[in-house]
């Protein structure tokens, strides 16, 4: 296996394990065992456990962005709906790991804070694009950008709470959750 393929394999194993456990609970021994290599091999590619965790978290952020990228050939309102449905599905499928990611960022873990912030900024930029917001309103201190950024936190929390309910106890579908989120965004933009 080439060095690049081995590195990708180790990150892929981390992503797979991240589905069922928080990043800080990933066992290096379990990862290398799954890969069929020694700890020293992992540390050839990642100088420290922190570097490995950063690579896994970064890959998770890229995966979220890839899976939520809307089809540019569709109307903007449909693209927004697709983006949000994919976002809700991503959280629903990886709820525990996603909560760990959010809490890691909230707890100040440097590797999680940076990746989380970059991921959230990219998602906010996509929404701003779909809303056709001017460059001036995209600046970090602009009210429109701040509203969209805060709204994404609302949508994220809705998705986390909704996905934590047993399916038979959910009082609305993912489609209805997304419709509500879009309505909330429209209302928030009028304030």
């Amino acid at each position: 296996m080439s060095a690049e393929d081995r590195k990708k394999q180790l990150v892929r194993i981390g992503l797979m394990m991240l589905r069922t456990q928080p990043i800080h609970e990933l066992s290096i021994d379990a990862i290398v065992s799954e890969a069929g290599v020694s700890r020293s091999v992992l540390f050839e590619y990642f100088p420290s456990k922190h570097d490995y965790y950063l690579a896994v978290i970064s890959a998770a952020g890229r995966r979220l962005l890839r899976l939520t990228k809307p089809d540019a050939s569709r109307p903007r309102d449909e693209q927004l709906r697709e983006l949000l449905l994919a976002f809700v599905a991503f959280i629903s499928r990886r709820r525990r790991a996603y909560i760990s990611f959010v809490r890691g960022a909230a707890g100040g873990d440097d590797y999680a804070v940076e990746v989380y912030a970059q991921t959230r900024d990219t998602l906010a930029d996509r929404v701003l694009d779909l809303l056709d917001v001017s460059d001036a309103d995209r600046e970090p201190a602009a009210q429109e950008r701040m509203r969209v950024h805060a709204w994404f936190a609302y949508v994220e929390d809705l998705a986390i709470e909704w996905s934590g309910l047993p399916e038979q106890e959910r009082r609305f579908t993912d489609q209805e959750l997304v419709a509500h989120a879009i309505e909330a965004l429209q209302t928030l933009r009028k304030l």
Side-chain angles (χ1 to χ4, degrees):
M1 186 176 284
S2 74
E4 189 59 29
D5 287 343
R6 177 67 71 192
K7 191 172 183 177
K8 286 179 183 176
Q9 177 202 30
L10 292 166
V11 169
R12 201 168 33 252
I13 291 169
L15 283 171
M16 179 186 67
M17 291 182 173
L18 195 59
R19 290 180 183 166
T20 59
Q21 57 196 309
I23 187 74
H24 62 276
E25 290 180 13
L26 291 184
S27 161
I28 296 297
D29 290 333
I31 290 159
V32 297
S33 175
E34 179 72 23
V37 298
S38 67
R39 289 175 64 94
S40 62
V41 168
L42 183 134
F43 290 118
E44 284 177 31
Y45 300 104
F46 306 98
S48 68
K49 190 175 182 179
H50 175 270
D51 291 315
Y52 177 71
Y53 285 176
L54 177 59
V56 172
I57 285 286
S58 296
R62 287 189 306 274
R63 179 177 282 173
L64 171 60
L65 293 175
R66 186 177 60 252
L67 293 173
T68 58
K69 187 172 183 177
D71 179 354
S73 69
R74 300 185 71 157
R76 289 178 190 226
D77 60 331
E78 287 181 27
Q79 289 182 57
L80 179 59
R81 191 173 155 284
E82 285 175 8
L83 182 155
L84 293 173
L85 282 170
F87 183 66
V88 169
F90 185 90
I91 290 173
S92 189
R93 283 193 305 272
R94 297 166 179 86
R95 184 174 187 276
R96 188 168 176 209
Y98 192 85
I99 290 171
S100 171
F101 179 48
V102 172
R103 288 188 182 148
D109 290 340
D110 290 342
Y111 58 91
V113 170
E114 185 176 336
V115 173
Y116 182 77
Q118 290 171 351
T119 304
R120 174 67 67 79
D121 284 344
T122 301
L123 289 168
D125 285 337
R126 286 180 180 171
V127 172
L128 290 165
D129 287 343
L130 295 173
L131 298 174
D132 201 23
V133 171
S134 71
D135 289 342
D137 287 333
R138 291 169 178 260
E139 295 296 320
Q143 284 187 359
E144 190 71 18
R145 179 173 195 79
M146 292 173 71
R147 279 187 193 116
V148 168
H149 209 273
W151 168 78
F152 235 108
Y154 173 71
V155 174
E156 178 182 75
D157 195 57
L158 275 176
I160 288 171
E161 292 302 314
W162 177 82
S163 64
L165 295 171
E167 285 190 41
Q168 65 276 14
E169 292 181 25
R170 294 178 185 166
R171 295 182 178 220
F172 48 92
T173 67
D174 58 343
Q175 303 274 343
E176 292 167 323
L177 185 148
V178 166
H180 167 78
I182 291 170
E183 185 178 332
L185 176 61
Q186 292 165 346
T187 301
L188 189 59
R189 291 186 77 210
K190 293 176 187 174
L191 299 177

